[in-house]
Amino acid sequence: MERGLLGAAPTVDNNKRKRGVKGQYIASMMQGNPKMLLAASPIFKGITQQQLPFSVASNPLDSENAYQASIKLPLPDGREAWGIGSARTKKEAERNAAVDACKKLNELGFLVGDHNNNTAENSEVGWGENPKNILIRSVSFRSICCGPNAKPLPINLLSSGPDHSKVFVAELVVPIPGKSTFVAIGEGRNKSEAERVCCYKACEKLQEEGLLSKPGEACGVSIPSFSKALQIRQQSEQPAIVGVKDEELSMMEDALQRLHLEMEDDYAQRCQLPPEEAQDLLLQEEVFDVPSGYTSREYLNAESATMYTAARNRMSSSLLAEQWQARQSLPLWRYRQKIVDMIGQNQVIVLTGETGSGKTTQVPQFVLEDYELNGRGAEVRVVVTQPRRIAAISVAERVAWERGEPLGRSVGYSIRLESVPPRPWGSILYCTTGVLLRRLQRRDGATGISHIIIDEVHERDLETDFLLIVVRELLQSHPSLRVVVMSATVDSSIYDRYFNNCPVISVPGMMHPVQVFHLDDLPHLMGQYNFIVPKFPMARITDEEEVDTDLVANVISWIAEEYSQTDGSILCFLPGLDHIIMIKERLQKMPAGKKMIILPLHSQLPAGEQRAAFTRAPAGLRKVILATNIAETSVTIDDVVYVVDSGKVKEKQYDPSLNMNILRVQWTSQASARQRQGRAGRVRAGFCFRMYTSQVFCTMNEHQVPEMQRVPLEELCLQIKAIASAAANNTSLSDC
Ligand SMILES: Nc1ncnc2c1ncn2[C@@H]1O[C@H](COP(=O)(O)OP(=O)(O)OP(=O)(O)O)[C@@H](O)[C@H]1O
């Protein structure tokens, strides 16, 4: 489907109308989005509205006008003018300053650039004041589009934005006979303007296709008659008749039969393959299944005996000396026996410990090793959930390395559309929360799982919260199931209460120290960098929705120069892809950027490209990873020494005024800030630079608002219903 460009309203062909339209446009933009109007002025060529150079000062003595914003207007004739505005909030003050600036530029004739004037000049569009009439009068168009007798044109009107600056979008689907469909789209500040632009686009396209001519135009352009148009449409809808000879038909049947037989052979072979190879062939949805033949008591005893010998050999293997040393230096190591005992004695425990202390990599291994050394290795199957794919894969790789094995033996992972399943007995599976949730929705879903470890519970995403509900239900019907709830930054009392006063174990100690600097420390720290100082108006950095991209880029560049004698990569947390792109572009233009390798890390990247963040930078280059919160938990990038935290996150929220979910940039929680900080100091000491003041940190929420409280109620009910209808005997949920 071809889509028409969003176009500015074309103007009609008389001068009065031109002036009127321009005036109306300026008036409506000043009322709706004065910053956009200002940014379009030729004096700010190449600048977006976010980059307009406002400066804002606070005035604590006047609450009505607590902020005064000003913007310098560099006039082409060398004169200087200013736009000034005050208001109760910083945003409103900037808006008022933009209105003032627009008024001044308009008086001086510098407000609307050439391109806008051109739009006025280009008013000779030839479709008259209302191109909608042309379409309505065109019988041939109506017969193709909506039937000859239909009265209104099927124009779809949408609006977005707050009341004071609503934008209307009109869409009209135009089927072009014998070709793909064209969608004409028009945007405007009111319904009729949007419709006019949309119809203008439709007329242009139809004319291009030879299906419409301008009023008064010589009839050289063919307008197909109604019957011709109908005939064209009927032709394009006719089924195509394809002839297949008998022998071709029998060849096709043969091929299908062969394919069917091959699939059966493949399945039979898979069942006969030695276990390790069979694992490679298991599909993602089968990762939890235990193939028949692998469940008999004799078989499991024999496997347990083999695992016992292998575990003892591992303990004394010189090839694993590095791995043992790394593991034994972790804060969690000393608590190994205590943790194993607590898990053995209780159905559920809550475990908290500093970031990097070893929860994700060690707890599942402690459990497996305990069973192995007690000669019961084949009886254990630990499933560990992670909220994000990147964490599930990278942690599984690390744990397989610690056990001196390739992935797919006793350790594996499963994420949507990609799995390296471990063997079904005596194993640890890292998977995303959704994968386990889907499995547990089956009636026999928990069969064969001995331990469920729910990691990073503090994130309070929908899936983790649902998993907690499902798991709590399962505990009654599966008394031997063991559950561990873990996080570095969790309010353990919530989970302790949720699971009937289950025991809590808090492990103290960090791997390596991380020095934290807030924005208020930076002038002192980076004093000689005068670029920092003008970026300091407190009002600017306390704004919810903004990220000071200049500041972030400058801090990254400063780190690269200040610590040029030491290596270590920089991990910067930003709310979204748009900020990642902006900062990347900025860094590339800086002198320090020439010695950087800049890697984006966000959920839209394919897994292969996400892996690049874990590789070492070539000699002489410093790796800078620009990441969203997908790198916030469980991830260890071993060369990260510096963390730069913008303090912002993009979060899905329900907006009752629009009755829809929107993504909004806002402050993270204190828990997230600590998780971000914890990406440094895992392999060596590190630094964390927070792009907000310590005062802002104190005002942040302690924890994220659970996603359950942010989505629309009906969406939540549907999700609960979907889970509840599948979960066995879950009457309390299905009643919802
Ligand atoms: N890929 C890796 N390369 C080097 N060291 C690693 C790697 N993965 C883990 N480690 C080491 O293991 C330690 C423990 O990591 P683990 O993920 O188990 O910690 P955690 O307590 O779960 O942290 P978090 O709460 O941040 O998820 C890290 O601090 C680091 O020293």
Side-chain angles (χ1 to χ4, degrees):
M1 196 180 274
E2 207 183 333
R3 289 187 86 85
L5 286 173
L6 281 177
T11 44
V12 292
D13 64 349
N14 66 57
N15 288 333
K16 196 164 157 227
R17 167 96 182 140
K18 270 187 236 166
R19 280 195 301 277
V21 166
K22 188 171 155 190
Q24 272 172 23
Y25 170 74
I26 291 173
S28 95
M29 286 297 282
M30 281 222 269
Q31 214 183 8
N33 196 341
K35 282 191 185 179
M36 191 195 264
L37 184 63
L38 189 57
S41 154
I43 70 159
F44 288 120
K45 206 166 174 199
I47 285 186
T48 66
Q49 55 174 312
Q50 282 81 17
Q51 295 165 339
L52 285 170
F54 287 104
S55 37
V56 184
S58 62
N59 177 9
L61 299 177
D62 182 356
S63 62
E64 267 305 296
N65 294 305
Y67 294 97
Q68 188 185 60
S70 56
I71 183 164
K72 187 175 169 183
L73 308 171
L75 301 179
D77 55 12
R79 281 182 294 162
E80 212 175 67
W82 289 83
I84 295 172
S86 330
R88 201 188 287 263
T89 66
K90 182 208 149 203
K91 238 186 190 149
E92 206 46 39
E94 279 190 359
R95 194 187 143 82
N96 291 344
V99 171
D100 186 45
C102 286
K103 279 185 189 155
K104 290 193 175 134
L105 288 177
N106 198 25
E107 279 163 25
L108 295 165
F110 294 124
L111 183 58
V112 181
D114 284 347
H115 56 286
N116 292 326
N117 291 330
N118 281 346
T119 316
E121 294 306 325
N122 285 341
S123 60
E124 293 284 344
V125 292
W127 296 104
E129 199 159 335
N130 194 353
K132 191 174 171 185
N133 289 339
I134 307 272
L135 294 177
I136 291 173
R137 278 190 229 115
S138 165
V139 179
S140 52
F141 168 72
R142 290 217 333 215
S143 70
I144 304 169
C145 179
C146 49
N149 299 324
K151 279 201 185 98
L153 294 180
I155 295 178
N156 192 15
L157 259 174
L158 302 163
S159 66
S160 64
D163 281 349
H164 64 276
S165 63
K166 254 201 170 74
V167 173
F168 291 85
V169 176
E171 275 193 6
L172 176 62
V173 177
V174 184
I176 310 287
K179 289 196 179 176
S180 62
T181 306
F182 173 78
V183 183
I185 303 176
E187 192 189 55
R189 306 225 57 92
N190 53 46
K191 288 181 191 170
S192 63
E193 186 178 290
E195 275 197 357
R196 194 161 59 79
V197 181
C198 166
C199 292
Y200 162 78
K201 296 277 166 200
C203 288
E204 288 283 286
K205 181 68 185 172
L206 286 163
Q207 189 198 26
E208 195 185 304
E209 296 294 334
L211 299 172
L212 201 65
S213 60
K214 289 180 181 176
E217 201 170 57
C219 289
V221 181
S222 66
I223 305 174
S225 64
F226 168 52
S227 57
K228 178 90 187 297
L230 204 60
Q231 197 188 341
I232 296 171
R233 190 174 66 161
Q234 278 167 356
Q235 268 170 10
S236 68
E237 285 174 0
Q238 291 279 321
I241 298 169
V242 183
V244 181
K245 294 187 191 132
D246 279 353
E247 58 268 36
E248 286 167 345
L249 207 62
S250 78
M251 272 166 66
M252 282 157 76
E253 274 170 3
D254 271 3
L256 282 173
Q257 209 162 6
R258 264 203 319 277
L259 186 68
H260 183 67
L261 286 176
E262 271 170 22
M263 283 166 72
E264 281 190 346
D265 278 356
D266 182 41
Y267 181 74
Q269 256 179 21
R270 196 199 295 176
C271 296
Q272 288 160 14
L273 276 175
E276 275 171 26
E277 288 173 41
Q279 293 317 301
D280 293 341
L281 292 171
L282 284 174
L283 299 171
Q284 188 218 314
E285 64 268 28
E286 293 172 349
V287 296
F288 296 95
D289 291 340
V290 181
S292 58
Y294 295 130
T295 47
S296 71
R297 181 49 44 203
E298 295 74 39
Y299 183 84
L300 291 177
N301 286 346
E303 280 306 320
S304 292
T306 315
M307 287 172 72
Y308 172 81
T309 315
R312 292 220 68 94
N313 290 343
R314 255 199 318 273
M315 285 170 78
S316 54
S317 167
S318 58
L319 294 174
L320 294 179
E322 188 192 343
Q323 283 90 330
W324 282 116
Q325 202 198 349
R327 292 185 63 195
Q328 285 168 4
S329 63
L330 293 170
L332 229 72
W333 183 262
R334 285 195 298 130
Y335 293 81
R336 187 171 184 237
Q337 196 53 48
K338 186 170 180 194
I339 292 169
V340 166
D341 289 346
M342 280 179 78
I343 294 174
Q345 288 156 12
N346 300 278
Q347 255 200 309
V348 186
I349 69 160
V350 176
L351 192 153
T352 67
E354 288 289 349
T355 51
S357 59
K359 299 176 296 299
T360 317
T361 53
Q362 303 310 309
V363 175
Q365 289 195 82
F366 293 167
V367 172
L368 178 57
E369 286 162 349
D370 181 58
Y371 273 76
E372 282 175 331
L373 293 171
N374 282 310
R376 295 171 56 201
E379 293 172 29
V380 73
R381 201 178 192 205
V382 186
V383 178
V384 190
T385 64
Q386 291 295 321
R388 299 197 182 83
R389 298 148 55 93
I390 188 173
I393 300 176
S394 62
V395 175
E397 281 172 352
R398 170 72 181 185
V399 174
W401 175 81
E402 288 184 359
R403 287 177 61 84
E405 291 174 359
L407 267 180
R409 231 179 259 178
S410 66
V411 186
Y413 70 84
S414 179
I415 59 176
R416 196 168 58 90
L417 305 178
E418 195 186 319
S419 298
V420 180
R423 63 192 177 208
W425 64 91
S427 61
I428 303 169
L429 173 75
Y430 287 91
C431 64
T432 40
T433 316
V435 167
L436 180 61
L437 195 55
R438 270 189 297 282
R439 171 69 188 195
L440 295 183
Q441 284 169 18
R442 286 172 39 165
R443 196 160 285 274
D444 60 347
T447 309
I449 300 175
S450 61
H451 295 73
I452 294 178
I453 301 183
I454 309 175
D455 203 3
E456 311 300 355
V457 277
H458 71 277
E459 290 224 352
R460 303 301 309 268
D461 55 292
L462 262 188
E463 288 189 328
T464 305
D465 276 0
F466 279 145
L467 183 62
L468 289 166
I469 297 171
V470 173
V471 162
R472 193 168 73 166
E473 295 288 319
L474 277 176
L475 289 172
Q476 290 159 20
S477 50
H478 295 72
S480 63
L481 181 66
R482 293 289 179 267
V483 175
V484 182
V485 174
M486 299 197 304
S487 173
T489 44
V490 71
D491 173 6
S492 54
S493 61
I494 302 178
Y495 298 93
D496 150 35
R497 282 199 306 275
Y498 185 74
F499 285 108
N500 253 338
N501 300 324
C502 69
V504 176
I505 172 165
S506 299
V507 177
M510 284 188 79
M511 254 323 265
H512 301 280
V514 178
Q515 235 181 311
V516 180
F517 299 102
H518 289 95
L519 192 59
D520 23 2
D521 302 319
L522 297 191
H524 172 65
L525 198 67
M526 308 158 90
Q528 73 277 31
Y529 275 73
N530 54 10
F531 59 76
I532 282 295
V533 182
K535 295 282 162 202
F536 256 62
M538 289 304 154
R540 187 172 180 92
I541 43 128
T542 50
D543 193 312
E544 283 256 330
E545 295 227 341
E546 279 186 31
V547 172
D548 192 334
T549 45
D550 279 338
L551 176 70
V552 174
N554 281 325
V555 169
I556 293 175
S557 150
W558 174 82
I559 294 170
E561 286 178 7
E562 180 72 10
Y563 299 93
S564 60
Q565 298 309 312
T566 50
D567 62 350
S569 57
I570 304 170
L571 172 61
C572 173
F573 286 99
L574 295 164
L577 184 54
D578 41 353
H579 295 97
I580 290 179
I581 293 170
M582 274 195 273
I583 301 228
K584 184 174 177 187
E585 280 171 0
R586 237 154 253 226
L587 285 173
Q588 281 168 337
K589 288 183 192 146
M590 294 175 149
K594 308 275 177 293
K595 291 192 193 147
M596 288 176 186
I597 171 160
I598 306 169
L599 300 170
L601 182 56
H602 51 85
S603 59
Q604 285 160 44
L605 278 185
E609 287 178 42
Q610 291 184 350
R611 303 285 314 146
F614 292 84
T615 55
R616 292 285 168 121
L621 290 182
R622 191 181 292 273
K623 184 168 79 180
V624 176
I625 305 159
L626 302 176
T628 58
N629 61 350
I630 72 162
E632 189 176 291
T633 49
S634 288
V635 169
T636 301
I637 300 175
D638 64 357
D639 57 358
V640 166
V641 174
Y642 313 95
V643 167
V644 177
D645 177 11
S646 68
K648 300 291 170 64
V649 66
K650 223 176 232 181
E651 215 171 50
K652 194 161 93 173
Q653 279 182 359
Y654 175 64
D655 184 331
S657 66
L658 297 174
N659 193 24
M660 62 196 286
N661 278 334
I662 51 164
L663 276 174
R664 180 164 283 158
V665 174
Q666 57 180 42
W667 289 114
T668 56
S669 62
Q670 292 181 354
S672 279
R674 289 198 183 95
Q675 289 285 346
R676 291 177 176 193
Q677 168 196 332
R679 294 316 104 193
R682 299 172 83 81
V683 177
R684 57 199 249 206
F687 302 89
C688 175
F689 299 88
R690 291 180 173 158
M691 301 295 99
Y692 44 91
T693 58
S694 43
Q695 191 195 349
V696 168
F697 177 79
C698 294
T699 57
M700 284 176 172
N701 286 339
E702 257 182 76
H703 297 275
Q704 277 101 324
V705 177
E707 194 180 351
M708 247 186 218
Q709 289 172 12
R710 288 187 268 119
V711 296
L713 209 53
E714 53 273 39
E715 187 182 320
L716 186 64
C717 287
L718 284 173
Q719 297 227 29
I720 292 173
K721 203 83 182 157
I723 289 174
S725 60
N729 308 325
N730 196 342
T731 44
S732 57
L733 283 175
S734 53
D735 286 344
C736 174

